[in-house]
Amino acid sequence: MSGGEQFVVGRQAGARSARSHALSVLRIRGAALALALVPAAAAVVLFAGERTGSIGPEWQGVRWAVTAVALAVLGVAAAVGAVIVRARPAVAPTVALDERSAPDLYNLVRELADRLDVPAPSALALTPDCDSWLEDRTHRSHTADADGTAGAGSGAGGGAGTALRVRRRPAPVLVIGSPFLWWMRVAELRALLAPVVAGTGPSAHPDIAAARRFVRGLDAAVAVAEHPADAGAGPAGVLRRLGLRFAGGCARLMLRACVPHAAEMERGVAAAAAHRAQGVDHALRTSAQEQVGLAYAGWDRLLTRVALPAWRIGRWPARLDAGVVSALTELSHRDSLAGGFTSRLGERPACDLLDSPGAVDESISLLAARLFHGGPAESGPGWSPVDWQEYPEEVVDRIWRTHAARLFTELDALDGPGARGAGRAGSDGAGALPGPTLSRVMERLSGSEGADGEALAARIAAAVAREEAENVGEAALVAPLVAAVGGTGAAAPMGLPLQPPRGGREVMTEHVTAVVCCAAVDTAGAVAGLDWLDGPALFVGGERAADLSGPVLALVEEADVQPLRNWLARVGVRAEKPVRLV
């Protein structure tokens, strides 16, 4: 068998498998419907037997009892069906792209669909994640949300709707990971999207489409039953909640039966799409997949090390996608394994396919803050954008000053709460505490008073925990995107934390480092800066002070102050000078 024949056979085998399992899902739907119709069928048989004389008058009571049961079952089945049909399937929050804002990207996807001989996606949308997929947004609640982020599939504009809808039923929306657009080159993006776009072919099959709609409806009904937000109060609300729970239980039973077949159906669809896309940019496929892994690593590092500190103080970096390019470029400079990737930066980046990449990047950055931190959907007091040029002053220096102020607040509380105000002012009055100097911290954590570091670390950790508990979004940091739920389409942050919980020593080390950095900036001409891979950093003489962590750890963990004194002397920091806290 030739290579071309093997290609066709593999594609057909995947399509056949997908259709077979789609029919299995539809048979489960048919079985549930048949079960609901059994009492009605029995009632019809009894009535027909009476009319034909096959059943005597003695069956009259049975006939009416069966009829009552049939009507009740049909009513319950209709109610459950209504819940399943009306339940809103979850969609991933995205930023819509209409054809006017990205004509070149639409042309690339349209040409790719033509080469693959599949329907073109109905619209394009971007997600702040390193993934791409097709998403069906044909449910009436989605088409009514054209202006929202969850309704990006219908927000493609009139031109896009005419150009890309090639069937009576709209094709799925193509959702593209925004980091791919900024990091990948145009040819790499085309190779990466080929198997995804190829999935519109199996999606057009009526059995597969019907099976997917049924499974999504069941999943949405289960979600509605678990969170009946609009059930109302009073007896009517209680009855409605009970009804939704019953409908959710029925949907859960059917969903449990459908899941194995639905999973196999999607595997078949993926296999058929992969086989269909094999002939498109095959040589670039391996390179594109390498870039996916690199982009994911850079994106994760940028979120956890750079964006997260800004989010915590109410600022959101407005150019995250541009930042991931800087982070990955820096990684390629440091890592010899990634050195070959810099040569591709001279080629045209995929973000050039957008008319206004800066505006799109800002929208994606705000959505990322919503999803991964639970921030507001719009800028406002206490939640404002920050450019990378302003990041050192607006974020890094502010974080250091805040940490330093917290350390001295707790230190003052240990030494004598009544004199805290005088100590802050640096007063020499009787009973006043020493001012906020680095020398005071070093003396407290070393020598005979080194044991007091445990108490100070515990107080600082407790203060940090209190502040984080007050921040609703802080408890909901996530790495993966989550689907919007309910009628508003608002994103609900949930999942695994971006950073593991920190102990008292770690928090203490962070705060002592902040005091050292503030003293270096105030007295030694050092500046706050940004390291694209490690986040906030101190720069001395234009070079990053990467050797500060060791001396600080020696002070915090071993009460050994000498390494830090040596570092301060080498840099020229005057530890006896008061540290500016605001």
Side-chain angles (χ1 to χ4, degrees):
M1 184 181 295
S2 66
E5 291 173 337
Q6 291 178 349
F7 164 74
V8 173
V9 169
R11 188 178 70 191
Q12 291 176 346
R16 281 196 301 269
S17 174
R19 289 195 293 269
S20 173
H21 288 284
L23 291 175
S24 297
V25 172
L26 297 179
R27 279 194 290 269
I28 293 172
R29 184 184 67 177
L33 180 59
L35 185 63
L37 294 176
V38 166
V44 170
V45 170
L46 291 174
F47 273 101
E50 180 192 15
R51 297 295 294 269
T52 60
S54 301
I55 298 178
E58 65 273 12
W59 285 83
Q60 184 175 2
V62 175
R63 184 173 63 248
W64 287 112
V66 172
T67 301
V69 171
L71 291 175
V73 171
L74 288 176
V76 171
V80 172
V83 171
I84 294 174
V85 170
R86 295 180 60 187
R88 175 177 182 160
V91 296
T94 55
V95 171
L97 281 180
D98 59 50
E99 190 167 8
R100 291 169 298 180
S101 63
D104 292 340
L105 183 58
Y106 268 78
N107 288 334
L108 181 147
V109 172
R110 188 184 297 112
E111 292 169 0
L112 188 57
D114 289 341
R115 290 178 61 183
L116 294 168
D117 193 25
V118 296
S122 60
L124 305 180
L126 296 182
T127 177
D129 195 17
C130 293
D131 198 3
S132 296
W133 66 89
L134 292 171
E135 191 163 79
D136 187 349
R137 295 179 177 179
T138 57
H139 193 273
R140 61 172 179 263
S141 62
H142 300 154
T143 56
D145 270 352
D147 294 333
T149 57
S154 56
T162 302
L164 292 181
R165 288 188 176 95
V166 298
R167 295 182 290 125
R168 179 173 298 178
R169 183 176 186 83
V173 174
L174 175 59
V175 182
I176 305 172
S178 64
F180 296 158
L181 282 177
W182 268 259
W183 176 243
M184 288 188 168
R185 308 300 99 178
V186 173
E188 293 170 344
L189 182 67
R190 183 188 297 109
L192 180 70
L193 294 181
V196 183
V197 174
T200 61
S203 299
H205 193 279
D207 292 336
I208 295 176
R212 283 175 164 174
R213 287 196 302 274
F214 180 57
V215 172
R216 283 197 304 271
L218 294 177
D219 185 63
V222 170
V224 168
E226 291 177 350
H227 306 283
D230 58 347
V238 173
L239 290 176
R240 179 173 174 80
R241 278 190 288 272
L242 291 175
L244 287 174
R245 287 199 184 99
F246 178 79
C250 295
R252 191 176 289 107
L253 288 174
M254 289 185 283
L255 186 61
R256 192 173 297 143
C258 290
V259 162
H261 300 291
E264 292 299 325
M265 176 184 70
E266 296 301 338
R267 289 192 186 98
V269 169
H275 278 92
R276 183 183 289 272
Q278 279 185 355
V280 178
D281 296 332
H282 182 71
L284 281 172
R285 192 72 48 80
T286 302
S287 174
Q289 290 301 325
E290 290 176 349
Q291 300 309 316
V292 170
L294 194 63
Y296 186 87
W299 182 248
D300 178 72
R301 189 120 179 182
L302 186 76
L303 292 182
T304 55
R305 303 294 182 88
V306 178
L308 180 56
W311 292 340
R312 282 176 167 166
I313 64 171
R315 305 298 299 272
W316 52 277
R319 296 291 186 271
L320 283 179
D321 289 304
V324 78
V325 177
S326 298
L328 291 174
T329 303
E330 179 64 23
L331 177 63
S332 68
H333 290 160
R334 297 186 190 179
D335 189 350
S336 58
L337 296 178
F341 294 131
T342 54
S343 60
R344 39 185 295 284
L345 297 181
E347 303 173 14
R348 185 189 183 195
C351 63
D352 278 359
L353 300 173
L354 306 175
D355 274 1
S356 301
V360 174
D361 195 358
E362 185 168 348
S363 299
I364 284 290
S365 300
L366 181 56
L367 179 58
R370 280 181 56 207
L371 292 173
F372 300 135
H373 186 65
E378 298 179 356
S379 296
W383 187 245
S384 57
V386 58
D387 290 330
W388 293 126
Q389 294 82 358
E390 303 170 350
Y391 187 95
E393 180 68 25
E394 298 292 330
V395 176
V396 179
D397 188 77
R398 178 177 166 185
I399 289 175
W400 288 344
R401 306 291 175 183
T402 301
H403 287 0
R406 184 185 294 120
L407 187 149
F408 284 110
T409 296
E410 301 305 328
L411 189 57
D412 289 349
L414 283 176
D415 289 341
R420 184 183 306 176
R424 279 286 178 87
S427 171
D428 294 330
L433 295 175
T437 64
L438 177 58
S439 295
R440 180 185 174 191
V441 175
M442 295 164 60
E443 292 170 1
R444 189 61 181 262
L445 297 180
S446 64
S448 59
E449 296 184 339
D452 292 343
E454 293 286 347
L456 182 59
R459 293 188 64 90
I460 293 175
V464 171
R466 285 194 302 270
E467 291 184 13
E468 291 183 350
E470 294 173 357
N471 187 345
V472 177
E474 188 68 21
L477 293 170
V478 293
L481 286 178
V482 294
V485 182
T488 62
M494 57 182 292
L496 299 175
L498 284 173
Q499 287 189 336
R502 294 173 297 169
R505 287 292 182 181
E506 292 177 277
V507 175
M508 183 70 172
T509 300
E510 182 181 51
H511 283 66
V512 173
T513 301
V515 176
V516 174
C517 291
C518 290
V521 170
D522 293 344
T523 67
V527 296
L530 169 62
D531 184 282
W532 288 109
L533 296 177
D534 295 325
L538 178 71
F539 284 80
V540 179
E543 297 290 335
R544 182 190 169 197
D547 56 346
L548 176 59
S549 58
V552 173
L553 284 173
L555 175 62
V556 174
E557 296 183 354
E558 303 171 10
D560 183 4
V561 73
Q562 194 57 44
L564 183 57
R565 290 192 186 279
N566 295 339
W567 187 91
L568 297 176
R570 184 169 65 254
V571 175
V573 178
R574 301 185 62 181
E576 74 280 3
K577 290 290 185 179
V579 173
R580 180 172 60 85
L581 301 181
V582 292

